[in-house]
Amino acid sequence: MAHTFLALDMNLIPQSTKDNVPTFWMGLFSNDQSRMLIDGYNEQGVLVHPQATLDAWLQWSDNPQEIQYNLLAEAIEYTSSEFTALKNDINSIWYFDAEVEL
Amino acid sequence: MAWALQFDGVNDYVSTSSDLSFTTTQEYAIEIKFKIDLSTSKDIHILFRGNNTNYLYYRVSTNAFLWKVAGSNVSISVPSASVLGVDSTIIVRQANTGSKTMEFVGLPEGGPFTALRTFLLSGFGNGGNGWPLDGYIQEASVYTDTSLITKVNKWDATASSHAAGTPILTDTIGGNNATGVNMPTDGSAWLDLGGGGLSLLISEQGPSFSESSQVSASQKIAAAVSVSGPSFTESLSATLSALPIEASMIEQGPSFAESYLLSVLASTNISAAITGQGPSFIESSTAFTSKNFSAEINEQGPSFTSQLLTSVFKDASGQIAEQGPSFSENSLIALPVKVTINTKNIVQVKRVSRNVTISRATKKIKVRSKTNTIRIK
């Protein structure tokens, strides 16, 4: 199931999506809240979220296709190991101190 | 067939519809069946959690499970070699005294510790910037007793829908389903573990019957078939794309006609024990397999006709015993490599057909006999 991850630009995510998707704020965000991490592409280069999922995310927008295009085009793609390295990098917006209790 | 829900070790987790709160003197147990990836680069793997001070994790660097209950905790040491890449079960228990223990199934319990504090459960794995699980969960259960008798919640990956969409780990008893967060929604979060297979026990009796059976499966088939009757006709066809066929068949009757076709598409094995008895019967067996074929066939009767066609690409091992005043037999084995045939020591028969055909890729045929005697009339 090895897939990549996409760090979406929070400024490109419609406010309606942030307000209405029930699990939106349960996601993983960078420390500065500028990026949201979602699952990306599988080994065949296909997004692991079918179009129906993207449509549901953007259902409150007038121009969902354009927003979707911009979100994916501006996303930063990481492999699992690349993202782990960022979590361990104190200078990264994704830094997490693993020794701190939950 | 068993299924599991995969967690990618980065941001995946599942959240229950309602939080469960276990009070200070409430008897309960929580059991979880899981596996942490053998090649994981993550150190801490949360298995279940409630909030920031209620959770259970395994830590690779310390070789230990730790169950934290509102600040207090118990831990047990389990070498990572026993955990990583291994299907495992861990159980935490609280007696009505507040005494708590933890058990990695197969090893002695850890604890007890007696912190009188409420434990919270709100989900499995852990997302966010916490300690995400890198592996999978097959099943998690909550019991109202420490003896694991009364189960009130069962989050079951096998019983859940594996279709595309947000993964939902279904609670088949309590209805407190757990929703996947940050997981793939194309169905790839679900992992087919195989196993299980199809097990059949068939018993048929009657003065007369006609039957046709067809089985198509991608998993192991194990069958025990017993057929008896004055007269019957039977046709059995099985097609597998993986794993073995194991069959045991006993047929009895004054007269019967039978046809077998086994087609195994993937690398796998056929193991069959067939016993045919009756004054008269007609039998036809055909097996195609890319790997091993092992058969023990025992046929008895005053008269019967038997046809065996086997085509394999690897090993075939057969032990055939035939007895009767009269029978007709035609056996064909096509095999590009090694052939080993062990016949019973004594076979005294009158053969109607004298045809024995062996087709090999090479031109060399070796026949070995333990008695050093091979007689052909």
Side-chain angles (χ1 to χ4, degrees), chain B residues 35-320:
Chain B
K35 183 166 84 172
I36 297 174
D37 278 1
L38 178 63
S39 58
T40 186
S41 61
K42 309 294 187 299
D43 186 25
I44 302 177
H45 302 260
I46 291 272
L47 295 174
F48 57 77
R49 70 183 293 259
N51 57 24
N52 287 356
T53 54
N54 291 270
Y55 49 79
L56 171 77
Y57 69 57
Y58 180 73
R59 186 164 193 173
V60 178
S61 62
T62 59
N63 293 301
F65 287 91
L66 183 142
W67 179 27
K68 177 155 285 193
V69 182
S72 297
N73 64 72
V74 62
S75 65
I76 55 174
S77 296
V78 182
S80 59
S82 300
V83 178
L84 303 186
V86 179
D87 285 305
S88 305
T89 300
I90 194 160
I91 305 166
V92 298
R93 295 177 169 90
Q94 176 179 280
N96 55 17
T97 59
S99 174
K100 299 172 181 66
T101 58
M102 177 165 51
E103 176 189 6
F104 182 79
V105 173
L107 295 176
E109 277 193 335
F113 78 113
T114 54
L116 290 174
R117 291 172 176 147
T118 297
F119 181 71
L120 299 174
L121 176 63
S122 64
F124 306 95
N126 182 68
N129 267 342
W131 300 319
L133 169 63
D134 188 6
Y136 65 63
I137 291 176
Q138 277 188 262
E139 187 180 310
S141 301
V142 172
Y143 302 83
T144 57
D145 59 88
T146 56
S147 302
L148 310 182
I149 295 172
T150 306
K151 189 181 291 189
V152 291
N153 298 94
K154 181 183 178 184
W155 292 276
D156 187 346
T158 300
S160 301
S161 169
H162 310 124
T166 300
I168 304 292
L169 193 56
T170 302
D171 177 0
T172 59
I173 297 176
N176 189 10
N177 296 341
T179 301
V181 181
N182 301 324
M183 289 182 158
T185 55
D186 60 354
S188 63
W190 298 103
L191 178 64
D192 182 354
L193 301 177
L198 179 63
S199 180
L200 302 173
L201 175 61
I202 302 172
S203 178
E204 298 164 329
Q205 293 175 316
S208 173
F209 59 82
S210 176
E211 183 180 14
S212 175
S213 302
Q214 181 170 1
V215 177
S216 179
S218 61
Q219 301 297 328
K220 175 180 175 181
I221 293 179
V225 181
S226 175
V227 180
S228 62
S231 171
F232 59 85
T233 301
E234 185 175 6
S235 173
L236 175 65
S237 173
T239 301
L240 271 77
S241 57
L243 301 177
I245 295 177
E246 295 174 1
S248 171
M249 286 175 264
I250 299 174
E251 294 150 341
Q252 293 175 312
S255 171
F256 57 87
E258 186 173 68
S259 172
Y260 298 112
L261 171 61
L262 302 177
S263 179
V264 180
L265 305 179
S267 296
T268 185
N269 305 328
I270 295 178
S271 176
I274 302 172
T275 301
Q277 293 176 312
S280 171
F281 59 86
I282 299 173
E283 186 173 80
S284 173
S285 301
T286 304
F288 301 97
T289 176
S290 61
K291 203 173 177 186
N292 298 331
F293 178 75
S294 174
E296 181 176 341
I297 302 173
N298 189 356
E299 295 165 331
Q300 295 175 315
S303 170
F304 60 86
T305 301
S306 177
Q307 176 169 318
L308 176 65
L309 170 62
T310 305
S311 176
V312 295
F313 298 117
K314 203 173 177 185
D315 295 335
S317 176
Q319 182 169 330
I320 302 173

Side-chain angles (χ1 to χ4, degrees), chain A residues 39 53 96 99 101-102, chain B residues 13 52 59 68 129 182 185:
Chain A
D39 292 342
T53 298
F96 171 69
E99 295 305 318
E101 284 193 348
L102 292 172
Chain B
Y13 65 104
N52 287 356
R59 186 164 193 173
K68 177 155 285 193
N129 267 342
N182 301 324
T185 55

Side-chain angles (χ1 to χ4, degrees), chain B residues 16-30:
Chain B
T16 56
S17 302
S18 304
D19 293 353
L20 299 180
S21 178
F22 302 97
T23 59
T24 56
T25 56
Q26 176 184 1
E27 184 176 345
Y28 68 89
I30 303 171

Side-chain angles (χ1 to χ4, degrees), chain A residues 32-53:
Chain A
D32 63 359
Q33 299 288 304
S34 67
R35 296 274 171 177
M36 177 187 192
L37 195 77
I38 67 169
D39 292 342
Y41 299 95
N42 62 22
E43 290 162 334
Q44 288 75 44
V46 178
L47 199 63
V48 297
H49 298 293
Q51 188 60 43
T53 298

Side-chain angles (χ1 to χ4, degrees), chain A residues 3 5 11 17 21 26 33 36 45 49-50 54-55 58 60 68 74 76 81 86 95 99:
Chain A
H3 58 71
F5 298 88
N11 291 321
T17 298
V21 173
M26 298 166 76
Q33 299 288 304
M36 177 187 192
H49 298 293
L54 302 175
D55 291 345
L58 302 173
W60 303 277
Q68 177 184 324
E74 298 299 323
I76 303 171
S81 58
L86 290 173
Y95 174 69
E99 295 305 318

